[in-house]
Amino acid sequence: MTTTRFAPSPTGYIHVGNLRTALMNFLIARKAGGTFILRIDDTDPERSKEEYVDAIKQDLDWLGLHWDRVERQSQRLERYHDAAERLRGMGRFYEAFETPTELDLKRKKQLNMGRPPVYDRAALDLGEAERDALRAERGNGVWRFKLERERIEWTDGILGEISIDAASVSDPVLIRGDGQILYTLASVVDDTEMGITDVVRGSDHVTNTATQIQIMRALGAEPPRFAHHSLLTGPQGEALSKRLGVLALRDLREQGVQPMALLSLMARLGSSDPVELRHDMAELIEGFDISRFSSAPTRFDVKDLFPLTGRYLHGLDLNTVRAEVAAAGVPDDLAAPFWAMARDNITTLHDLAGWWALCRDGAEPLVADEDREFVAQAMTLLPPPPYGPDSWADWTAAVKDATGRKGKALFMPLRKALTGQERGPEMATLMPLLQVVRARD
Ligand code: GLU
C-alpha cells in the first residue's frame, strides 16, 4: 500500500518551493490509490506556530490537496525517545559537548589542511568521569548518531543511482542539549512507524537521506523509496530562496491565481512533459510520472501562472463562478450574459469588477482626433440604453449607411468610443449589458 507524506515545519507559509514537494507526494499517493499524510514537523516549540499549522491546511485545501490524516510530531515525542534509547543500547548514540565555537574552529582547521570538515568524534574518547565533568560544567551534551563508515547507496526516483561515502558526513546530531528531538530522528521514526513507502523532497535533503537510511537500518527498518526533486530558481536561473517569501501560496491566491493553473504548472515544470492546462485533479494524477523529472534546477516564473489562469477561467461555466460574479457587483439577472461576455477577456477574476464598472457606468470614450466628427455623427444614431442582441448590428449598419465607412474604420472608433479600449469582448455581446454610454451624452 503506497503511503506518502508532506511534512512541513509550521514555521512559515507554503510557497511555490514546498508546494512542489506537497504536490508530488500527493500525486504519487492518489495515483496508486494510497494514503497521503499531512505530517506537521513541530518538534521545535519555539519556531513552530499554530497559526502556520492552520495556514498550511488552508492553503492545501484551497489547492484541493486533501490529506487522509494529520500527524503531529509534537504528540509523538515518546516514540522518538524510545528510538533514542534503542540506539543508545546498540552503542550507536553518543553524547558530545563541543560548543558551536569549538566545532567551528575544528572545521576551519580541517579545511585549512584540505580535509573535509567532518566531526572528528572526539567525544567517543571521553571516559565516564570526563563526561560527568563536562556535563557539570556545560550542561547536557548533544546526542550524535554514530554512522557506519561505508558507502550509502540508493536508487533515487529522480536522481538515479546515488552513492554517498558516510565518512564524508558528520555524525548527525539527533537530540539537542536541551533535550529537543531534531527532525532527522523524528522523521526516521515516523517514516518507519507510519509505513511511508515513498518520500519525495527537495535535493537539499540528499545528505539527510543518506544518514536517515543508516538510522532506519540500525532501528531494524527498511528505508522507503526516495526521490529528490531539483530546487526552483527564478526565470534567469537565480536562486529563489530569498524571494520565496513573496511567492507564498496565499499571495498568489490574492493575486487571483487559480489553483488548477498553479497545479498544472507545478506538476509538470522541470519534467520532460509539456506544461498544459489541466482542468481537474483526475487529469493531473493521470499524467503524473516522477521519473520524468529532471535533476537540473527548475526555472520558475510567476508570470507563467497568469495565462494559465486566464485559460482555466475561459472554460468555466457560470455556476462555478457565480459568487465571484456577484461579488463584482453584477446583478443576478445579468450574471449569465455578463459572464458569457467577460470570461474570454479576463486574466483573473479580479478583472470582473472592471468590466462590470464599464457596463454600469460607461467608459471614458477614447476618440482619435480624426474620428471626432465621425463618432459624433454615429452617436446621434445610437438610441439610449437598454440594448439588445441586435443593437450593435443595427447601429453599425445605420452608421455605415450614413457615413459610408466600413470594416475596421467603421468598427474600431465605435468600439473605442463605447469601451475606451481597443480590444475587448464581442461588441454584440457587450452592448446588451451597457447601462450607460458616456459618448452619447
Ligand atoms: N520538515 C522537513 C522540511 O520541511 C521535512 C523534510 C522531509 O520531507 O523529510 O524540510
Side-chain angles (χ1 to χ4, degrees):
M1 165 86 158
T2 298
T3 305
T4 64
R5 81 310 192 268
F6 172 49
S9 307
T11 53
Y13 297 118
I14 305 185
H15 48 67
V16 287
N18 44 23
L19 163 62
R20 234 170 146 218
T21 312
L23 180 57
M24 288 179 174
N25 284 296
F26 172 85
L27 291 173
I28 289 174
R30 291 291 170 262
K31 190 160 185 175
T35 302
F36 175 62
I37 298 174
L38 172 59
R39 191 184 86 196
I40 304 293
D41 284 5
D42 55 353
T43 56
D44 182 341
E46 263 150 47
R47 295 183 58 229
S48 302
K49 299 255 175 327
E50 220 43 46
E51 63 177 280
Y52 289 126
V53 176
D54 295 340
I56 288 166
K57 290 180 179 171
Q58 280 164 10
D59 289 347
L60 293 177
D61 256 339
W62 172 65
L63 287 168
L65 301 185
H66 304 302
W67 54 90
D68 297 298
R69 66 173 204 270
V70 179
E71 298 278 0
R72 303 215 29 169
Q73 291 195 326
S74 57
Q75 286 164 13
R76 294 176 44 80
L77 298 177
E78 248 172 67
R79 319 290 310 178
Y80 312 140
H81 285 293
D82 280 356
E85 213 41 64
R86 284 167 61 209
L87 293 174
R88 261 181 216 114
M90 285 170 218
R92 296 291 298 272
F93 218 26
Y94 63 95
E95 198 174 7
F97 296 91
E98 287 89 349
T99 62
T101 321
E102 285 166 350
L103 288 173
D104 212 37
L105 209 66
K106 284 187 190 205
R107 268 194 294 270
K108 283 193 180 123
K109 272 194 195 148
Q110 287 167 314
L111 288 170
N112 278 343
M113 292 188 313
R115 294 216 308 260
V118 176
Y119 176 61
D120 63 6
R121 293 182 164 173
L124 281 177
D125 299 332
L126 299 173
E128 182 102 36
E130 286 169 296
R131 275 202 296 273
D132 286 346
L134 279 166
R135 209 175 288 117
E137 184 196 319
R138 301 182 170 190
N140 289 332
V142 302
W143 284 85
R144 289 184 183 264
F145 175 73
K146 188 168 169 235
L147 289 166
E148 208 73 76
R149 294 203 156 151
E150 59 183 13
R151 294 204 79 87
I152 305 169
E153 305 191 321
W154 74 93
T155 304
D156 193 279
I158 293 174
L159 304 176
E161 296 306 319
I162 299 285
S163 173
I164 289 182
D165 183 0
S168 68
V169 182
S170 295
D171 289 340
V173 174
L174 303 189
I175 301 182
R176 285 202 327 199
D178 63 3
Q180 188 184 312
I181 301 282
L182 291 181
Y183 149 77
T184 305
L185 177 61
S187 190
V188 159
V189 171
D190 289 348
D191 286 342
T192 304
E193 294 188 0
M194 294 172 194
I196 302 299
T197 56
D198 296 81
V199 171
V200 181
R201 55 192 173 195
S203 51
D204 49 337
H205 280 291
V206 167
T207 309
N208 280 342
T209 296
T211 61
Q212 290 181 8
I213 286 175
Q214 272 209 6
I215 302 168
M216 276 184 189
R217 294 214 164 112
L219 290 169
E222 254 322 287
R225 285 183 288 271
F226 288 101
H228 295 84
H229 60 73
S230 66
L231 301 185
L232 293 181
T233 71
Q236 260 71 54
E238 72 276 21
L240 208 54
S241 47
K242 286 198 203 72
R243 293 186 29 226
L244 285 173
V246 298
L247 294 172
L249 299 197
R250 42 201 49 220
D251 298 325
L252 299 177
R253 179 167 65 212
E254 293 257 298
Q255 291 171 46
V257 168
Q258 282 288 317
M260 276 320 291
L262 185 53
L263 295 173
S264 296
L265 183 67
M266 298 321 273
R268 296 293 183 274
L269 198 66
S271 82
S272 49
D273 293 319
V275 174
E276 279 163 16
L277 178 69
R278 311 283 155 161
H279 295 86
D280 57 36
M281 202 60 93
E283 261 187 75
L284 268 189
I285 294 169
E286 171 73 35
F288 181 77
D289 181 355
I290 190 104
S291 70
R292 300 181 69 82
F293 282 81
S294 150
S295 57
T298 301
R299 284 169 199 246
F300 169 81
D301 191 343
V302 70
K303 286 204 218 83
D304 294 340
L305 292 169
F306 292 94
L308 283 167
T309 292
R311 244 180 289 150
Y312 175 76
L313 294 174
H314 304 171
L316 294 185
D317 63 26
L318 175 63
N319 283 331
T320 324
V321 290
R322 211 177 268 281
E324 288 83 356
V325 171
V330 183
D332 243 11
D333 55 327
L334 294 181
F338 175 81
W339 178 244
M341 175 279 294
R343 69 175 178 185
D344 292 336
N345 291 282
I346 52 174
T347 304
T348 73
L349 291 170
H350 297 327
D351 300 336
L352 291 178
W355 287 115
W356 176 243
L358 188 152
C359 296
R360 185 193 52 211
D361 307 329
E364 185 61 41
L366 184 64
V367 185
D369 280 345
E370 65 270 24
D371 291 329
R372 231 163 257 296
E373 236 174 86
F374 165 73
V375 170
Q377 190 183 355
M379 288 307 148
T380 63
L381 297 168
L382 182 64
Y387 303 118
D390 300 326
S391 299
W392 174 251
D394 293 347
W395 178 44
T396 51
V399 175
K400 184 177 173 187
D401 280 348
T403 64
R405 283 210 196 192
K406 51 182 200 257
K408 200 175 168 201
L410 168 70
F411 298 122
M412 186 54 99
L414 300 183
R415 168 186 287 281
K416 281 165 38 184
L418 261 52
T419 68
Q421 302 174 34
E422 293 189 358
R423 263 178 290 278
E426 289 288 334
M427 290 303 292
T429 58
L430 177 65
M431 273 196 79
L433 290 154
L434 289 180
Q435 326 277 302
V436 174
V437 173
R438 288 204 229 163
R440 267 191 84 254
D441 305 314

